[in-house]
Amino acid sequence: MARRKPGRREQLLKLALYPLDWLEERSGLVGGVKYFLFRKVPGDISWGHTLGSAALTAFIVQAVTGVILAFYYKPDPNSAYESIRHITDDLTLGWLVRGMHKWGASVFIILLFLHMGRVFLYGAYKYPRELNWIVGVLILVLGMMEGFFGYLLPWDETAYWATVVGVNLQATGPFVGPFLGDILRGGSEIGPDTLARFYSLHMLVLPGAIAGLIGLHLYLVVRLGVTSPPWSPTAAGRPQPGPPPPARKGLVAPGARGARKR
């Protein structure tokens, strides 16, 4: 029997999907992404489970707007404030990009707090998800540090004196406090070296660490699954229904008398 010749629509669809097929055959990434997006989740989850995705979206927005701002920002005490003013007043939609990055930092932290509150109230931090909870706490800590190091970058009066207070608080800590304060300041007082260090931490070190932890967090979510709400019969920590375990033998349940071999 002769094979039917594929139509024009099928040929166009095959041509459009060729790059994905090529990538899937050599890496398996397409199948992994498809599994992540279309994996099975409990049927009784609620809108509270979307707070993690909302926090991830906020982080992506922060990363994209931060890269755009880095094109024009100059981490130099003599040019930092003027570069911020140039971005806000002169560039097309620069005020929007800077506003999204500025207020998006607060949105990111708020969503992290709400997400972790939902996880705690739902008991989703219990076995076997303790490691995922620890990773989430580290993401929250690094996110707050990211906001602190980025606060100095506009190099205005508010940013300067707020950083002075924050660094001095760190320097009053026991043992490593003075050493940590000198590292953050880059010397005995806040100056050009401080701005350069805060910029590198805000732009390179902390975003990379947060992105790595988010990747680990998502891997654990996919591996361990999504927890149901506390009112669900399959909630975290609740024993699952199933067949009774097999009866134990030996000292716990000895055999009947007279069954001993002679």
Side-chain angles (χ1 to χ4, degrees):
M1 184 176 180
R3 298 179 60 182
R4 183 177 64 88
K5 185 178 180 181
R8 181 178 297 274
R9 182 178 179 181
E10 296 178 357
Q11 292 178 351
L12 292 176
L13 182 61
K14 184 177 180 180
L15 182 62
L17 294 179
Y18 177 78
L20 295 179
D21 294 337
W22 185 90
L23 183 64
E24 171 65 17
E25 184 179 359
R26 289 156 178 81
S27 65
L29 291 176
V30 178
V33 173
K34 185 183 297 185
Y35 174 77
F36 174 74
L37 295 177
F38 300 100
R39 69 189 188 279
K40 294 183 179 180
V41 297
D44 51 1
I45 60 176
S46 61
W47 283 100
H49 288 79
T50 64
L51 291 171
S53 300
L56 175 61
T57 303
F59 175 76
I60 294 175
V61 171
Q62 288 299 99
V64 173
T65 55
V67 170
I68 296 174
L69 292 175
F71 289 160
Y72 303 96
Y73 176 75
K74 299 177 181 179
D76 178 73
N78 299 322
S79 307
Y81 182 80
E82 180 59 27
S83 64
I84 293 293
R85 189 209 62 78
H86 173 65
I87 293 172
T88 306
D89 298 337
D90 301 335
L91 295 181
T92 303
L93 298 180
W95 59 271
L96 178 61
V97 175
R98 191 201 168 198
M100 291 176 62
H101 193 77
K102 178 181 179 181
W103 297 107
S106 300
V107 172
F108 177 57
I109 298 299
I110 292 173
L111 289 173
L112 284 179
F113 270 106
L114 293 176
H115 175 55
M116 296 190 69
R118 196 276 305 170
V119 170
F120 179 78
L121 293 177
Y122 281 24
Y125 60 91
K126 299 178 182 179
Y127 173 85
R129 298 175 175 85
E130 301 93 335
L131 179 59
N132 216 12
W133 172 263
I134 295 174
V135 173
V137 172
L138 293 177
I139 293 175
L140 176 61
V141 172
L142 293 182
M144 298 176 68
M145 293 175 61
E146 179 84 343
F148 172 72
F149 288 120
Y151 200 81
L152 178 65
L153 300 187
W155 199 252
D156 54 7
E157 290 288 333
T158 304
Y160 179 87
W161 291 111
T163 304
V164 169
V165 174
V167 173
N168 288 340
L169 286 175
Q170 298 293 328
T172 57
F175 304 112
V176 299
F179 178 71
L180 182 61
D182 290 339
I183 291 179
L184 293 177
R185 287 190 297 261
S188 58
E189 60 183 14
I190 293 179
D193 292 338
T194 310
L195 182 61
R197 296 189 180 196
F198 274 50
Y199 179 72
S200 63
L201 289 170
H202 180 77
M203 238 345 251
L204 300 174
V205 179
L206 291 177
I210 293 175
L213 289 175
I214 289 177
L216 176 59
H217 193 75
L218 292 176
Y219 166 75
L220 292 175
V221 169
V222 174
R223 184 178 186 273
L224 301 174
V226 179
T227 57
S228 298
W231 54 84
S232 172
T234 59
R238 186 168 300 172
Q240 304 299 318
R248 301 180 63 181
K249 300 180 180 181
L251 296 177
V252 178
R257 294 183 179 181
R260 190 187 315 169
K261 294 183 179 179
R262 296 183 180 181

